[in-house]
Amino acid sequence: MTDVVVAVDAMGGDRAPEEIAAGALAAATESGAGVLLIGQEEAVRPLLPADLPAGFEFVHASEVVGMHDDPAVGVRTKKDSSLVRCAEAVRDGRAAAMVSAGNTGAAMGAALLRMGRIKGVARPAVAVPIPVPGSGPTVLLDAGATVDCRPEWLVQFARLGAEYARVRHGIEAPRVGLLSNGEEAGKGDELRKAAHPLMAALPGFVGNVEGRDVMTDAVDVVVTDGFTGNVLLKGFEGALRMMVNLVFGALGATEEAEKASEVIMPGLLAAAADLDPDGTGGAMLLGVDGVCVISHGSSSARAIVNAVRVAADAVTAGIVDRMKESVRDAS
Amino acid sequence: MTDVVVAVDAMGGDRAPEEIAAGALAAATESGAGVLLIGQEEAVRPLLPADLPAGFEFVHASEVVGMHDDPAVGVRTKKDSSLVRCAEAVRDGRAAAMVSAGNTGAAMGAALLRMGRIKGVARPAVAVPIPVPGSGPTVLLDAGATVDCRPEWLVQFARLGAEYARVRHGIEAPRVGLLSNGEEAGKGDELRKAAHPLMAALPGFVGNVEGRDVMTDAVDVVVTDGFTGNVLLKGFEGALRMMVNLVFGALGATEEAEKASEVIMPGLLAAAADLDPDGTGGAMLLGVDGVCVISHGSSSARAIVNAVRVAADAVTAGIVDRMKESVRDAS
């Protein structure tokens, strides 16, 4: 049992509050972290047992920032929303980290508003672990926080991403690539061409990498702007969904195939386990002065347990202080 | 048998000239199009039979633009390269279309240099059919021709792409989407935010689409800049390769699984046939004053046959005139 308390937004996500509350309860007993669940009393309280587990606390917040709320407006006007209260809990030291499966833009807005940025960081970035079956994940950032980027911001993302890969995935000397439309140094749009020479001095910089390299063991951290990163991340999602449908369609196409697939299915599911987004622990917002884990929109209870674990581990590893140092060293 | 002659670059591609020559020969007999194969005499002639098929002609060109040549320099200095000679053949009316599996940037450079742009088109775009198993492909453009784009160029890409979807895939009223990081109209970076209102007036415009929509039947034409399009295209490639390895790994993991997979394999391969890049006929460079098909780098003979067929069909359908009209109507 650690003393790390993680604030969990009970109202964020497609399966909120049921799955979030279930995950928060499980996390309090399984993960070793304390949990501060924040949400609407009337919606959440009925989901909780009369006897709350040790290390679990529930706090009422009257408002909800929805998936279709404008993120900036939502966090500014809904001051008593579960999301804003989570970020506030981190700012005030009541929690050491926050987890939300809600609106990514709003989570970023709340974190920026209440926790603020790390001094010297111009813009935050969302780091997402992209699964690579058979080896550790590749960290892709920015996956959507900062869509219009300056070259020097990409350099900061590279520093933050490398630190994240060290702390989160235990990669001592991460290989960092700049996502581009070709491997040669001269390849890229204006942003990439300007960023490449600035990144050349970074430890572990391997030069340009392409979309096809992300899901391989060729690189540990892939840096891009939030627009391109988001498009690529969702492209992966779509391609995997298509392939899963295709494979399962073929396995169930005939009675004979269905019978044969019984033999194959266990191995296939085991191999595909790495791809389950509920198992990754979610994305992390880097560059803010606190730990903020953003779990995917359809998070199950298990996804929340993993997100709480990842958040607590990041706190224990001192990830924010390490990022502060990494940025300070650079300036 | 039509009168359409397609110029084929014998020297472009990882498997040139063997597979290209074999494909060109097969195309002349199978596709109904005439073929003008251009390449180095000493490398290509030994691959050809003494009696050339009807409608097949070979022309010597002394130089080769390689995969690692700078595209702009390559096409400007190697005036007697197979690639430049192919584009010249189209300009001079000796061929009606060209096919190359070589350096995409160089193919674009040669086409621009020798064929020129369609009047009114600011920049060319590469259109790639992205396979969607169970329905027709989605046309993604630009996949790499123009990496830094202005908003009005994206509007032109949309017009060109819609015409391409009509002619090439027989979609009467294509649904056109703007690739962005969210579906809402306000989502996107500066380029997308500026392009969205300009595209709103286009027939068939469905608004923003996301990376996950490309491999679905939700949209027929997806418009983006050449940087993002190239990253996404190669991301798809990487994700599919990863999944194929994963599935085949599981199918061959144990003797039992291997045996069961014999039953499943035919259905799986049939379902996956849509994903074979050799079957798509390649990408097409839009906005130039001629038909230019760019086949993928590792094209087999079969890929070349399909590319020649697609090129000849595009000529027969009058694709360039239709694009000229589409652009003229807009101005």
Side-chain angles (χ1 to χ4, degrees):
Chain A
M1 193 74 180
T2 74
D3 292 318
V4 176
V5 174
V6 178
V8 175
D9 170 15
M11 313 307 292
D14 307 336
R15 297 160 81 178
E18 289 79 5
E19 288 291 315
I20 314 296
L25 286 164
T29 47
E30 290 171 27
S31 76
V35 170
L36 178 66
L37 185 67
I38 305 183
Q40 286 176 317
E41 175 86 37
E42 60 276 25
V44 180
R45 185 66 76 179
L47 305 169
L48 304 178
D51 279 342
L52 295 174
F56 183 97
E57 197 187 341
F58 172 70
V59 168
H60 170 66
S62 63
E63 294 175 292
V64 175
V65 180
M67 289 308 280
H68 296 286
D69 275 328
D70 179 279
V73 175
V75 300
R76 275 190 166 71
T77 55
K78 295 182 174 174
K79 292 199 195 317
D80 195 34
S81 62
S82 52
L83 189 55
V84 172
R85 292 295 185 207
C86 279
E88 235 166 53
V90 177
R91 180 195 65 189
D92 298 341
R94 196 165 168 191
M98 66 178 278
V99 166
S100 177
N103 186 322
T104 301
M108 181 180 88
L112 280 173
L113 202 68
R114 290 292 182 260
M115 303 175 183
R117 281 200 300 271
I118 289 175
K119 200 183 156 191
V121 170
R123 291 291 184 286
V126 170
V128 177
I130 304 289
V132 182
S135 80
T138 301
V139 176
L140 175 71
L141 82 165
D142 174 21
T146 305
V147 292
D148 288 294
C149 279
R150 295 192 193 155
E152 56 272 24
W153 301 353
L154 295 184
V155 182
Q156 287 195 336
F157 293 173
R159 290 188 182 278
L160 298 174
E163 207 55 64
Y164 172 88
R166 258 180 224 112
V167 172
R168 172 96 176 74
H169 301 298
I171 305 166
E172 202 49 54
R175 296 159 297 169
V176 178
L178 175 62
L179 187 62
S180 195
N181 60 324
E183 289 185 352
E184 305 84 358
K187 278 284 194 174
D189 58 2
E190 284 173 17
L191 176 61
R192 264 38 74 157
K193 285 181 187 161
H196 192 281
L198 302 179
M199 293 179 75
L202 290 176
F205 184 58
V206 296
N208 286 344
V209 296
E210 301 185 83
R212 65 166 76 100
D213 300 319
V214 179
M215 280 199 173
T216 72
D217 189 34
V219 62
D220 301 307
V221 177
V222 172
V223 175
T224 190
D225 62 275
F227 181 83
T228 309
N230 192 273
V231 164
L232 182 62
L233 177 67
K234 290 177 180 160
F236 284 145
E237 201 188 305
L240 297 190
R241 189 178 302 163
M242 185 277 286
M243 283 295 282
V244 166
N245 289 340
L246 191 146
V247 170
F248 280 79
L251 294 183
T254 63
E255 222 167 288
E256 215 190 351
E258 213 163 337
K259 200 152 179 295
S261 73
E262 279 168 27
V263 178
I264 288 159
M265 202 57 87
L268 198 57
L269 292 178
D274 281 345
L275 303 177
D276 177 5
D278 281 4
T280 65
M284 198 177 287
L285 181 67
L286 308 185
V288 291
D289 196 358
V291 171
C292 174
V293 171
I294 300 172
S295 200
H296 66 95
S298 52
S299 288
S300 66
R302 193 167 75 81
I304 297 301
V305 172
N306 282 319
V308 168
R309 190 176 282 128
V310 163
D313 287 351
V315 169
T316 306
I319 196 168
V320 173
D321 283 339
R322 292 181 62 157
M323 292 202 178
K324 284 178 181 171
E325 272 168 45
S326 154
V327 171
R328 193 173 54 226
D329 291 349
S331 57
Chain B
M1 194 77 179
T2 73
D3 292 318
V4 175
V5 174
V6 178
V8 176
D9 170 15
M11 313 308 292
D14 306 337
R15 298 159 81 178
E18 290 78 6
E19 289 289 316
I20 314 296
L25 286 164
T29 47
E30 290 171 28
S31 76
V35 170
L36 178 67
L37 184 67
I38 304 181
Q40 286 175 318
E41 176 86 35
E42 61 277 23
V44 178
R45 184 69 74 179
L47 305 169
L48 304 178
D51 279 342
L52 295 174
F56 183 97
E57 197 186 342
F58 172 69
V59 168
H60 171 64
S62 64
E63 295 176 291
V64 175
V65 180
M67 290 307 281
H68 295 287
D69 276 328
D70 180 280
V73 175
V75 299
R76 275 190 165 69
T77 56
K78 295 184 174 173
K79 292 201 193 316
D80 194 33
S81 62
S82 51
L83 189 54
V84 172
R85 292 297 186 206
C86 279
E88 235 165 54
V90 177
R91 179 195 64 186
D92 298 341
R94 198 167 168 189
M98 66 177 279
V99 165
S100 177
N103 186 320
T104 300
M108 182 179 88
L112 280 173
L113 203 66
R114 290 293 182 257
M115 304 177 183
R117 280 201 300 270
I118 290 176
K119 201 182 153 192
V121 170
R123 291 290 185 287
V126 170
V128 177
I130 304 289
V132 182
S135 78
T138 301
V139 176
L140 176 70
L141 84 167
D142 175 20
T146 306
V147 294
D148 288 295
C149 280
R150 296 193 193 155
E152 55 274 23
W153 301 352
L154 295 184
V155 182
Q156 287 195 336
F157 293 173
R159 289 187 182 280
L160 297 174
E163 207 54 64
Y164 173 88
R166 258 180 224 113
V167 172
R168 173 96 176 74
H169 301 299
I171 305 166
E172 203 48 54
R175 295 158 297 170
V176 178
L178 175 64
L179 187 62
S180 194
N181 61 324
E183 291 187 349
E184 305 83 359
K187 278 285 193 174
D189 58 1
E190 284 173 17
L191 177 60
R192 263 39 73 157
K193 285 181 187 160
H196 192 281
L198 301 179
M199 292 180 75
L202 290 175
F205 184 58
V206 297
N208 286 344
V209 296
E210 300 184 83
R212 66 166 74 100
D213 300 319
V214 179
M215 281 200 173
T216 71
D217 189 34
V219 62
D220 301 306
V221 177
V222 171
V223 175
T224 191
D225 63 276
F227 181 83
T228 309
N230 192 272
V231 165
L232 182 61
L233 177 68
K234 289 176 180 161
F236 284 145
E237 202 187 304
L240 296 191
R241 189 178 301 163
M242 183 277 285
M243 281 295 284
V244 166
N245 289 342
L246 190 147
V247 170
F248 280 79
L251 293 183
T254 64
E255 222 167 290
E256 213 192 351
E258 214 164 335
K259 198 149 179 294
S261 73
E262 281 170 26
V263 178
I264 287 159
M265 203 56 88
L268 199 56
L269 292 179
D274 283 344
L275 303 177
D276 177 6
D278 280 3
T280 66
M284 198 176 286
L285 182 66
L286 308 186
V288 292
D289 197 358
V291 171
C292 175
V293 171
I294 301 171
S295 200
H296 65 96
S298 53
S299 287
S300 66
R302 194 166 74 81
I304 298 300
V305 173
N306 283 319
V308 169
R309 190 176 282 129
V310 163
D313 288 350
V315 171
T316 305
I319 196 168
V320 174
D321 283 339
R322 292 181 63 157
M323 291 200 179
K324 284 179 181 172
E325 271 169 47
S326 153
V327 172
R328 195 173 53 227
D329 290 350
S331 56

